[in-house]
Amino acid sequence: MAGTKKRGLDEQALGKNNKRLRVTKESSKTFELIESSNNSNLHKELKTDLQLPHDIQFLSPLDISFFRPILKKEEAATSDEVNQKDASKDISSEEIRFLKIFLRIKNGKQATRKLAWKNLHSFLTNNLQLEKLNLIITIMVNYLLSNNVTDLDRHTTLKMLTKILFILNANIKPFTGDILDILAPLLLNKDKYIESMVVEILKTLSINVGTSTIIKIIKDDFEENDEVLRLNASKIMAILTLTMPSNSNDSNLSTLLPLINTIANSQDSWKARQSGIRIIQYVLKFNNSSTSLLPNLNAIIECFYKNLQDSHIQNRILSANTLSILAKNCYPYGIESFNPVLELIWKGIRNYRGKLLSSFLRCLANIIPLMDSSYSSFYSKQLILIIKRELNTPDDDMKMTILLLLQNLIPISNITQDILLDDILPQFFEFFWIRRISLDKTLVNLVIYSTVKLATKIDPQIILENLLLPMRDDSESLRIMSIRAMNKVLRLDLNSSLNERLRTRMIDTLLIAFQDQTLNNDRSIFNCFKTVCKCLKKDIQPFLPPIISIILNNLKHKNPQNRQNSADLCTILIPSIKICEEFQTLNKLSVILFESLNEIYPDTLGSIIIALNEMVICNTMNTEPPVSTILPTLTSILRNSHVKVQLNTIRIISNIAQLSPDTIPHKEWLRICFQLLDLLKSVNKKIRVLANDTFGYIAKAIGPQDILPALLDNLNLQERQLRVCTAVALGIIAKVCGPYTVLPALMNEYRTPETNVQNGILKSLSFMFEYIGPDLTSDYIYFIIPLLEDALIDRDLVHRQTASEVIKHLSLNCIGKSTESAFIHFLNLLLPNIYETSPHAIMRIFDALESLCFTIGPGIFMNYIWAGIFHPAKSVRACFWRLYNRLYIQNMHSLIAYYPTENLIQPPSDNSDQVQEICFDELNIVL
């Protein structure tokens, strides 16, 4: 088997020269694929020699080569008899049949694929022979090992293999080696979904053929010179530990651990020992649950005794890293099991340097959280000395290890503030808060997190003082890194009192970083300013004049990005200015922001509008200029098509409508309503939602009588999106102003003999009853019965579909309201519609029927269902059984009392015996 795998890898190497892999079998034809450089010739041949079957959607160049035997044109029978005889010698009918099934599963249309899956099942179950199975495996090996297989084709082929394994069960055993040849390279695939599929297939294969069969095949690969073979064998062995034996509910891990231990402690080869450790590493990757690891922890750790002191350096590194992962997965249990290897780890830490020391330190860093306080205190004191020695290392891997070790040592009680201040902190900021570190994203996050952990043990003011120096650095990446750390440290305790000198230096440094900022998408400095404002509260008042001075200067800067940053900073400071009761400053900023509304850059204009919106919220009544002056200017800005500008303009209009609607003239509100009507056509959903909400606030401010005509006129338009948004707006107005203000107008408008208008009214009623809730719905049921009755008997399917949605909301809001008579009437009108075939309509009809069942009760509802369940026509029974099954799931406990007895069921007289037998068989299934 090892020889076979070597052959596969050699062919894989040949595949780099744009040639396909070939897997030969004595009993079947080899499908030799042409070099990829001849793809243009293939397309020419396709036009002349090949034809695309009518049920195939497409053919790739690989498909043209691979499925060539079934793509040849049928020639005249008189001239093709000899060729057919020759072809029959090369390719059998079984091959032709399987290739057709394979191609239709892979590239067929939807109906074709469904039929092809059924044909595959019959192909495998009817007269299965070893030659046929050999043929299937050969074709799939050829295809999956081809060089240009796409991810989609690989996924489909693996699904076929899963189906084949499920059907054939133990019959696949003779071809286990070939299947492993297919799956092993895919375990190294970067696509995690492909890897998960392969894992499931291997687990199924292990259950079908037995774990011992697979182990016999891969046992020689643990000592192979090729590292890829050893990796694949280790992964397969790890997957075998995940399968469930037939006589146990636990995984195979405890059964295979003696074998893994033997491999890991092999006397003959360091490669076998490395494979044993890799098996454990992959077991931890595929199964990181501590419930299966803890019972076998002692046996697992036995595999590391020799490897932690192996003569081969790579084995020691791999063992320490794997043991580190194991300790992390076992947290907070298992320290007793780690005690035997703890001495070896500590000995390695004292003797090794470089990568070996890094891996051993990382291992001990994850074991320390498992220890008791006495043991952790001893090791932590010794490790502090090692950390101090290695802080100035240039190796990035060692830096990461030091940071991880620090994070685990800081919570330990005997690591006091004095130890950290004297031994760690100065060198930590000297060697880790540098420009080179700030360019490495992985190290940046670790350094920031370690700094925050230090702040939990040391006074945060000391950490903040040390962060001020990198915040003044010329490197923007280092400034951003220190600002992020400062933000997190300040959040640890927002109520902490900072000394006056530190406040002054901190805000001064933040302002310098703000003025030097060039990155457009980084929000770190604004988040830090927001945290500083929350932390200082009223104490920020002495610093407001210089900050506002910088904001005002930058609002007139020639660079639009500077103007945008100033507006964003202004938005953050406005609540703090209000807390400090600096109303004169607020008015000054408000005037400047209002004068900046003529900004031509949309992103900058959007930030200015956000700041003005914050100003309106904080100082509505005393804003200078007043909101009656601001609003007309915003009305013209609504025409700006930029998303940020439109969203924030609608927000500020909505806030004005809620906070001070009386300060705006009636005509101005109407003008805004007409502007918002145009925004209902927007492709952005947030804009449409905000526009609809704003309609409700404006309607509450000026009354719905002037807005309703404009909205009802929109229902005459052909654009569906505009009609739907108008219906939502009508529902919101009904919620805000009361249904009695909207419902008469809607019922009157429904008399218009226009399909779009009537559908829009029904949609509005659906949203209205959804929004107003159960408290008001029951008061309006009997008023709209004639309208819904007309809609449910209309010939237009959309009328009945939308009316069903209205009934659904009505019935759900009226459970227990003593309105059963109205809903029984709706049930009589709605039930004949269950024969509709439109998927949208039938879904809403069934939803409405289920809702009616809750309102009128399952007993009355089931009286309508029994007759349909036992109807002689199958198509009728299918509809009623579908409805019954949905009700049965929801009301199982309530239906038992209403089941009819056998002597009450009277099937029709025609074909009575056959119908009665079918009906009672179906009922017995339920009972």
Side-chain angles (χ1 to χ4, degrees):
M1 189 61 210
T4 306
K5 293 194 176 184
K6 289 180 185 177
R7 171 188 50 70
L9 292 171
D10 291 339
E11 290 177 350
Q12 211 165 18
L14 291 174
K16 296 179 181 178
N17 298 324
N18 292 329
K19 294 184 179 180
R20 310 298 190 191
L21 298 169
R22 301 185 179 101
V23 177
T24 57
K25 289 286 180 183
E26 296 179 358
S27 60
S28 63
K29 178 181 177 295
T30 300
F31 296 92
E32 297 185 1
L33 305 183
I34 303 175
E35 295 182 5
S36 57
S37 59
N38 296 332
N39 285 345
S40 58
N41 297 332
L42 290 176
H43 288 290
K44 293 179 182 178
E45 293 178 8
L46 180 61
K47 295 179 181 178
T48 56
D49 299 339
L50 306 176
Q51 63 177 358
L52 188 67
H54 66 90
D55 53 355
I56 301 299
Q57 298 184 77
F58 62 91
L59 284 175
S60 65
L62 175 60
D63 296 335
I64 296 170
S65 303
F66 197 85
F67 297 102
R68 178 174 291 275
I70 62 171
L71 295 174
K72 291 182 179 179
K73 287 186 176 181
E74 293 183 0
E75 299 179 0
T78 55
S79 62
D80 199 35
E81 292 178 357
V82 178
N83 293 335
Q84 287 179 354
K85 291 179 181 179
D86 294 337
S88 64
K89 297 177 182 178
D90 295 333
I91 184 166
S92 65
S93 60
E94 295 292 344
E95 288 176 298
I96 291 288
R97 185 181 173 194
F98 181 72
L99 284 174
K100 285 182 178 179
I101 294 171
F102 191 4
L103 180 61
R104 279 159 175 76
I105 288 175
K106 199 172 69 67
N107 294 348
K109 299 176 182 177
Q110 183 176 6
T112 305
R113 291 199 304 271
K114 288 183 179 180
L115 183 60
W117 282 110
K118 294 180 180 179
N119 291 339
L120 176 65
H121 187 278
S122 62
F123 181 78
L124 293 172
T125 52
N126 295 339
N127 192 21
L128 181 66
Q129 299 174 353
L130 190 62
E131 291 78 7
K132 186 189 289 189
L133 191 53
N134 191 359
L135 163 72
I136 294 170
I137 299 301
T138 302
I139 293 175
M140 298 190 73
V141 167
N142 275 279
Y143 191 81
L144 278 173
L145 296 182
S146 298
N147 222 18
N148 289 344
V149 180
T150 64
D151 289 338
L152 179 61
D153 291 341
R154 188 180 290 111
H155 168 70
T156 307
T157 311
L158 288 176
K159 281 181 67 177
M160 280 187 61
L161 185 57
T162 306
K163 181 83 169 178
I164 291 170
L165 291 177
F166 179 75
I167 295 172
L168 297 181
N169 208 342
N171 293 327
I172 203 74
K173 188 172 183 178
F175 302 95
T176 306
D178 294 324
I179 295 174
L180 292 178
D181 280 340
I182 299 173
L183 299 178
L186 297 178
L187 287 171
L188 303 177
N189 198 296
K190 293 181 180 180
D191 188 349
K192 298 298 181 184
Y193 188 71
I194 293 290
E195 185 185 15
S196 64
M197 283 190 68
V198 174
V199 169
E200 293 302 320
I201 292 172
L202 283 172
K203 288 166 68 175
T204 306
L205 181 66
S206 161
I207 294 171
N208 288 352
V209 304
T211 306
S212 58
T213 303
I214 299 178
I215 292 174
K216 288 177 183 177
I217 294 172
I218 65 173
K219 65 180 180 180
D220 296 331
D221 292 343
F222 294 122
E223 300 180 10
E224 282 291 335
N225 293 326
D226 193 341
E227 187 176 3
V228 175
L229 284 178
R230 297 203 305 273
L231 279 173
N232 289 336
S234 301
K235 277 196 174 184
I236 292 171
M237 189 72 174
I239 293 168
L240 294 181
T241 63
L242 304 179
T243 57
M244 300 291 183
S246 57
N247 57 352
S248 174
N249 294 326
D250 196 6
S251 65
N252 236 353
L253 180 59
S254 55
T255 307
L256 294 179
L257 266 178
L259 176 59
I260 297 173
N261 196 354
T262 303
I263 298 171
N265 294 300
S266 173
Q267 300 286 348
D268 301 331
S269 172
W270 66 267
K271 297 171 185 174
R273 294 195 294 274
Q274 187 183 76
S275 299
I277 299 300
R278 277 212 176 106
I279 293 171
I280 298 174
Q281 190 179 43
Y282 289 128
V283 167
L284 298 175
K285 175 185 175 182
F286 293 130
N287 183 16
N288 56 5
S289 174
S290 59
T291 55
S292 60
L293 295 176
L294 290 174
N296 304 298
L297 192 56
N298 291 329
I300 293 174
I301 290 179
E302 286 179 8
C303 304
F304 293 93
Y305 293 155
K306 281 190 178 180
N307 290 282
L308 285 171
Q309 45 192 343
D310 197 286
S311 58
H312 198 271
I313 294 177
Q314 292 299 326
N315 277 11
R316 279 179 275 169
I317 294 175
L318 180 64
S319 300
N321 291 336
T322 307
L323 202 58
S324 173
I325 300 170
L326 181 63
K328 189 184 295 184
N329 289 351
C330 292
Y331 177 82
Y333 307 106
I335 185 59
E336 297 83 3
S337 301
F338 284 95
N339 283 332
V341 295
L342 199 55
E343 185 178 351
L344 296 175
I345 296 168
W346 184 242
K347 182 180 178 182
I349 290 173
R350 287 182 295 177
N351 296 333
Y352 299 148
R353 291 292 182 272
K355 288 188 176 181
L356 266 173
L357 175 61
S358 175
S359 58
F360 274 69
L361 280 174
R362 195 172 299 177
C363 179
L364 187 60
N366 288 316
I367 294 177
I368 283 177
L370 311 180
M371 297 180 180
D372 295 334
S373 58
S374 57
Y375 286 98
S376 61
S377 299
F378 168 75
Y379 284 107
S380 59
K381 288 180 181 178
Q382 302 298 322
L383 287 174
I384 285 292
L385 301 176
I386 297 173
I387 292 174
K388 184 179 179 180
R389 183 190 71 201
E390 298 292 338
L391 274 172
N392 61 346
T393 178
D395 184 15
D396 287 344
D397 186 55
M398 179 59 77
K399 285 182 179 294
M400 292 178 64
T401 304
I402 293 299
L403 292 171
L404 293 171
L405 196 56
L406 262 179
Q407 293 167 16
N408 288 335
L409 290 179
I410 287 171
I412 297 175
S413 58
N414 72 317
I415 303 297
T416 61
Q417 179 177 343
D418 296 334
I419 293 175
L420 294 175
L421 283 174
D422 297 338
D423 298 336
I424 302 297
L425 198 65
Q427 293 184 2
F428 176 75
F429 277 95
E430 180 182 355
F431 296 114
F432 282 84
W433 284 91
I434 56 177
R435 296 182 182 182
R436 188 174 68 85
I437 296 285
S438 66
L439 299 174
D440 190 332
K441 291 184 179 180
T442 306
L443 281 175
V444 163
N445 294 328
L446 281 173
V447 170
I448 291 174
Y449 184 70
S450 300
T451 306
V452 176
K453 293 282 283 186
L454 282 169
T456 60
K457 202 67 173 283
I458 303 174
D459 185 6
Q461 296 193 46
I462 299 175
I463 302 295
L464 292 174
E465 287 177 356
N466 283 278
L467 288 172
L468 293 177
L469 182 61
M471 281 179 66
R472 293 175 178 268
D473 197 88
D474 292 336
S475 171
E476 186 164 12
S477 59
L478 183 57
R479 292 202 304 269
I480 294 299
M481 176 181 169
S482 55
I483 288 170
R484 288 175 56 195
M486 177 179 283
N487 185 27
K488 291 179 181 295
V489 171
L490 286 171
R491 284 183 178 180
L492 290 176
D493 186 7
L494 290 174
N495 298 320
S496 61
S497 57
L498 307 177
N499 61 65
E500 186 175 352
R501 183 173 177 274
L502 179 59
R503 294 177 198 166
T504 306
R505 293 180 62 201
M506 186 171 62
I507 291 180
D508 183 42
T509 309
L510 280 172
L511 285 175
I512 293 173
F514 170 74
Q515 290 175 298
D516 295 341
Q517 184 180 10
T518 58
L519 296 176
N520 298 337
N521 299 323
D522 192 88
R523 303 287 302 175
S524 301
I525 192 165
F526 301 108
N527 296 334
C528 191
F529 261 113
K530 187 181 294 185
T531 307
V532 167
C533 291
K534 289 180 180 179
C535 185
L536 297 183
K537 298 176 183 177
K538 279 192 174 184
D539 294 337
I540 201 173
Q541 186 170 7
F543 308 104
L544 287 178
I547 298 174
I548 293 170
S549 176
I550 291 174
I551 289 174
L552 294 177
N553 288 334
N554 280 353
L555 280 173
K556 300 175 183 178
H557 200 279
K558 62 180 181 179
N559 187 353
Q561 185 61 44
N562 285 19
R563 299 198 295 273
Q564 180 180 342
N565 291 342
S566 298
D568 291 338
L569 183 57
C570 184
T571 305
I572 293 169
L573 285 174
I574 286 172
S576 297
I577 297 173
K578 183 184 178 183
I579 291 173
C580 297
E581 298 180 353
E582 295 282 345
F583 296 109
Q584 187 176 357
T585 305
L586 279 178
N587 290 333
K588 183 179 179 181
L589 282 174
S590 179
V591 171
I592 299 296
L593 291 171
F594 176 71
E595 292 173 353
S596 302
L597 287 177
N598 57 356
E599 176 67 50
I600 59 174
Y601 291 93
D603 286 319
T604 307
L605 178 59
S607 296
I608 292 171
I609 295 172
I610 293 172
L612 197 59
N613 182 31
E614 191 70 30
M615 189 75 68
V616 168
I617 294 172
C618 291
N619 196 26
T620 306
M621 303 306 297
N622 302 317
T623 302
E624 291 292 338
V627 291
S628 58
T629 306
I630 296 174
L631 195 62
T633 308
L634 294 174
T635 308
S636 60
I637 295 176
L638 273 175
R639 298 188 184 93
N640 193 312
S641 59
H642 195 269
V643 174
K644 183 179 179 181
V645 175
Q646 283 187 342
L647 274 173
N648 293 291
T649 306
I650 297 171
R651 283 196 183 104
I652 189 172
I653 292 172
S654 176
N655 289 328
I656 292 173
Q658 293 179 71
L659 298 173
S660 59
D662 299 335
T663 59
I664 309 299
H666 188 86
K667 290 183 179 180
E668 186 64 33
W669 283 128
L670 288 178
R671 189 179 299 112
I672 292 172
C673 284
F674 287 113
Q675 291 286 337
L676 291 174
L677 283 176
D678 293 334
L679 294 181
L680 295 180
K681 305 175 186 177
S682 174
V683 295
N684 189 286
K685 184 179 179 181
K686 288 184 178 179
I687 291 176
R688 298 197 302 270
V689 170
L690 276 173
N692 280 323
D693 291 340
T694 307
F695 261 112
Y697 300 129
I698 295 176
K700 187 177 182 180
I702 65 174
Q705 63 276 0
D706 293 323
I707 302 176
L708 282 176
L711 290 175
L712 293 175
D713 287 342
N714 273 357
L715 298 178
N716 288 307
L717 302 178
Q718 293 296 320
E719 191 174 352
R720 180 183 176 275
Q721 185 186 55
L722 186 59
R723 295 200 310 273
V724 171
C725 291
T726 302
V728 174
L730 288 167
I732 292 173
I733 292 174
K735 178 184 178 182
V736 173
C737 302
Y740 57 88
T741 60
V742 177
L743 191 58
L746 293 179
M747 296 180 69
N748 182 64
E749 193 70 20
Y750 187 80
R751 297 166 60 188
T752 305
E754 174 66 34
T755 302
N756 287 340
V757 174
Q758 292 181 346
N759 284 333
I761 297 298
L762 291 170
K763 183 68 72 174
S764 303
L765 290 173
S766 173
F767 286 116
M768 184 182 79
F769 289 116
E770 181 182 359
Y771 294 160
I772 65 177
D775 295 333
L776 298 175
T777 301
S778 58
D779 298 334
Y780 299 97
I781 291 177
Y782 292 99
F783 292 103
I784 63 166
I785 286 179
L787 189 149
L788 292 177
E789 182 179 349
D790 179 79
L792 288 172
I793 62 176
D794 198 283
R795 295 184 62 182
D796 183 22
L797 178 61
V798 181
H799 273 62
R800 287 175 275 144
Q801 171 184 325
T802 316
S804 301
E805 198 167 358
V806 178
I807 292 172
K808 180 183 77 172
H809 294 300
L810 277 172
S811 58
L812 290 177
N813 286 337
C814 293
I815 297 175
K817 299 288 186 179
S818 301
T819 53
E820 288 81 3
S821 58
F823 290 106
I824 290 174
H825 182 57
F826 288 145
L827 179 59
N828 289 324
L829 298 172
L830 191 60
L831 198 60
N833 292 283
I834 64 172
Y835 305 112
E836 294 294 342
T837 56
S838 170
H840 294 286
I842 198 62
M843 181 177 66
R844 286 165 175 78
I845 289 167
F846 270 74
D847 288 344
L849 288 170
E850 288 182 37
S851 304
L852 288 173
C853 179
F854 287 106
T855 308
I856 65 177
I860 299 174
F861 191 88
M862 287 305 298
N863 290 333
Y864 290 81
I865 304 302
W866 296 125
I869 288 177
F870 304 110
H871 196 277
K874 183 179 179 181
S875 57
V876 175
R877 291 202 309 275
C879 297
F880 280 91
W881 273 105
R882 178 183 173 187
L883 179 59
Y884 173 80
N885 290 335
R886 296 177 71 168
L887 298 177
Y888 176 78
I889 293 172
Q890 297 171 359
N891 300 283
M892 185 189 307
H893 59 289
S894 304
L895 290 181
I896 298 174
Y898 301 106
Y899 282 141
T901 57
E902 184 175 337
N903 57 0
L904 294 179
I905 301 175
Q906 299 294 336
S909 57
D910 52 331
N911 300 327
S912 57
D913 295 336
Q914 184 179 1
V915 172
Q916 189 171 8
E917 183 179 353
I918 294 172
C919 293
F920 282 115
D921 286 344
E922 291 179 349
L923 185 60
N924 286 331
I925 293 173
V926 178
L927 297 178

